[in-house]
Amino acid sequence: MSSSFLSSTASFLLVLLYIGSFHESDGAQQGTYIVHMAKSQMPSSFDQHSLWYESSLKSASESAEMLYTYNSAIHGFATRLTPEEADSLMTQPGVISVQPEQQYELHTTRTPLFLGLDVHNAGLFPETGAASDVVIGVLDSGVWPESKSFSDEGYGPVPTTWKGECEAGTNFTASHCNRKLIGARFFYGPVDESKESRSPRDDDGHGTHTASTAAGSIVEGANLLGFANGTARGMAYRARVAVYKVCWKPKCFSSDVLAGIDKAIEDNVNVLSLSLGKRKRDYTNHIAMGAFSAMEKGIFVSCSAGNDGPSPSSLSNVAPWITTVGAGTIDRDFPTLVTLGNGKSYIGASLFKKDALPPKLASNNATYGKSCLSGTLIPEKVYGKIVMCEKGENGRAEKGEVVKAAGGIGMILANRASRGEELAAYAHVLPATNVGQKAGDIIRRYVMTDPNPTVSIVIQGTVVNVKPSPVLAAFSSRGPNPITPNILKPDLIAPGVNILAAWTGALGPSGLASDTRRVEFNIISGTSMSCPHVSGLAALLKSVHPEWSPAAIRSALMTTAYSTYKDGQPLLDIATVKPSTPFGHGAGHVSPAMAISPGLIYDLTTEDYIDFLCALKYNQSQIIKVSRGDYTCDPSKTYSVADLNYPSFAVNVDKSDTYKYTRTVTNVGGAGSYSVKVISETTEVKISVEPAVLTFKEVNEKKSYEVTFTVNSSKPPRFSSFRPSGFNSFGSIEWSDGKHVVASPVAISWT
Ligand SMILES: *[C@@H]1O[C@H](CO)[C@@H](O)[C@H](O)[C@H]1NC(C)=O
Ligand SMILES: *[C@@H]1O[C@H](CO)[C@@H](O)[C@H](O)[C@H]1NC(C)=O
Ligand SMILES: *[C@@H]1O[C@H](CO)[C@@H](O)[C@H](O)[C@H]1NC(C)=O
Ligand SMILES: *[C@@H]1O[C@H](CO)[C@@H](O)[C@H](O)[C@H]1NC(C)=O
Ligand SMILES: *[C@@H]1O[C@H](CO)[C@@H](O)[C@H](O)[C@H]1NC(C)=O
């Protein structure tokens, strides 16, 4: 029963991807248009601009859907229309212009557009001054300073507050820094100088990719082997970058990481981006400790949630003073069409250069190579064939290398169950495509049972406006929080699948030493890619609101994040092809244009975090380890984790009881009254909020409220076919003054 539900949902998703991928090539008349609206002309019959926009759109097209709504400096929306519908929309009252989106197809990191940060929205964030004084420190594998993403053309002098340095070393001199890349340091590690540079130079690619994602300069005509061609830029593309090379082949050692954080604090960075980590049992680990000090200095620390999903409790970097970032897809795919000799076709994903494809690949004999481990393929069986390999046991790039070395001419790489239908694309060293688990099962059966199996792979290039998007990535690590279940993690998700950004000149796009290709940009996936998106967005918020604490910035990003699509349906999780939950997406997908004006924020101070450690019964030596301060918990005081002023709620139920959480919100909007709305999916827990209205007369005024979770069942609610979440139940608490919606996710777990 449940498995047939799963499979039909899965094929539904495949169909959606399939349609998306033919949008460009089928010559359909539809195109994406950006519609600018005259806000002041909104008829009085509407009280929300979005409703007016919807209504105007509906009168021009029955079927068109909002892709984006732009709310601030630019008023309007994006949608897909035929030219006739566009002409008709142009005649509607209040419509200023209806422009086809060709220019956006060129925006390639594409994530600025996907996040609503397209050129027409540029006025939302300052372009100069404050924006270019913000410094993002990236702790990673270093930097390739020659990349155009670090060009300083048009940048003013280095901010006077900057105290960092450009450290020279192997193949790296002080003159490699400039007004964009204002600092570069390295922290020894076990350097094998025959393999990598003892300097800030990035011989790996990862650090160059993350740094350019956070704050890369504008680069036109950026692409990987022709894929995703367009204009690349980082999130905070006016901000400055400082790199701290703390990762070496093969890994990042925490002593180096902590040293990097130390120096970054002294150098006066404003944001720290760490796309690294490991699962930990408590907060006395180096990243958490270093991050605590940074937080104390007002530095926003953004970390990747980990790539250990979809297993529960697989998160890294869960300290509450860190912003923990999971990963979702964007609306761009790199589809391939895999057609079997029996005529059946499946969609995969590939970044193999289209015009380098041998014509022979049109239809070829196929064979099955299991995991395609080095030394396991028999050349006589593989020669001239397309080889099907399974993920796991060795690296996926290495599988391609093994197949190629054995004489194979192509590869189909099937996901294992854990990655489900996720279609991350890779720049393999031979023509290859990744396929989802379901297609993989069918193709394997065919290749193993058909007496003369043949397969063709057609690489289709780049398609955009893929729906649904975002979808939670299967690899994105999941909650519950393994250290403190009463603090919900991850905090939010951001783009992390098939992300284009700058690359090292020392290694090919597959990351294999044998790969002699060199590319300026590469497309890779991971929470390593989503973390620097949030680091860059935090820098943008910092430039608009320099007085905001790291907790305030995180609160703004979280309470304005979205967890449904435009049609109100919940975001999907590609691992289950069912609705994602706050254990996967936290508060939801980041929505930067909304985060500028969150209405209310949940602020936190150093003392609040110390109280949190006291609530966890940390002894004094543990507290000193984390905080470096000489704090003692007051034995006469009752500390509660439930009182940490976090913008989300996680409740751990061990018996029928009431659980009380207090929160304090700070008004950062105008005067007004906020009313609460509670959404809960279970009747076993009653959620009540007191008071239900919060009235603010002035900016920075604080108001507190209490949430009571009354549980009348010590057993979890029964599985619901609508949202079979097992031992968990989810909901949200939303405050709204009619202009802002300040939303907090709720996750209730029965232990
Ligand atoms: C330094 O750069 C040169 C030229 O790019 C290269 O040949 C050499 O291998 C590099 N040295 C190291 C240690 O990376
Ligand atoms: C990328 O797009 C630019 C601008 O349209 C075009 O000039 C260039 O040829 C394209 N490059 C590739 C590799 O497609
Ligand atoms: C495929 O294999 C068959 C025998 O099974 C052989 O006759 C044929 O030539 C092969 N085709 C190619 C393209 O290698
Ligand atoms: C504090 O707690 C840690 C971890 O449980 C323990 O190893 C340490 O001995 C304790 N220190 C003191 C002073 O109690
Ligand atoms: C708990 O209370 C709710 C609402 O009062 C009720 O609908 C639900 O059936 C109760 N559950 C149990 C297990 O008693």
Side-chain angles (χ1 to χ4, degrees), residues 106 221 223 226 229-230:
L106 303 174
N223 64 77
N229 186 33

Side-chain angles (χ1 to χ4, degrees), residues 429-491:
V429 293
L430 84 173
T433 180
N434 182 22
V435 295
Q437 185 215 348
K438 292 187 182 304
D441 286 348
I442 297 167
I443 297 169
R444 182 191 313 102
R445 207 173 307 134
Y446 167 76
V447 168
M448 291 181 76
T449 57
D450 192 281
N452 290 304
T454 62
V455 170
S456 75
I457 300 174
V458 178
I459 292 173
Q460 296 179 322
T462 306
V463 299
V464 295
N465 296 316
V466 172
K467 284 202 208 175
S469 56
V471 168
L472 179 67
F475 61 73
S476 191
S477 287
R478 311 302 167 92
N481 183 330
I483 302 182
T484 317
N486 283 342
I487 300 294
L488 183 67
K489 288 281 181 172
D491 292 311

Side-chain angles (χ1 to χ4, degrees), residues 656 682-686 710-717:
S656 299
T682 177
T683 52
E684 276 75 6
V685 182
K686 187 165 152 269
T710 308
V711 182
N712 69 358
S713 167
S714 57
K715 294 228 174 67

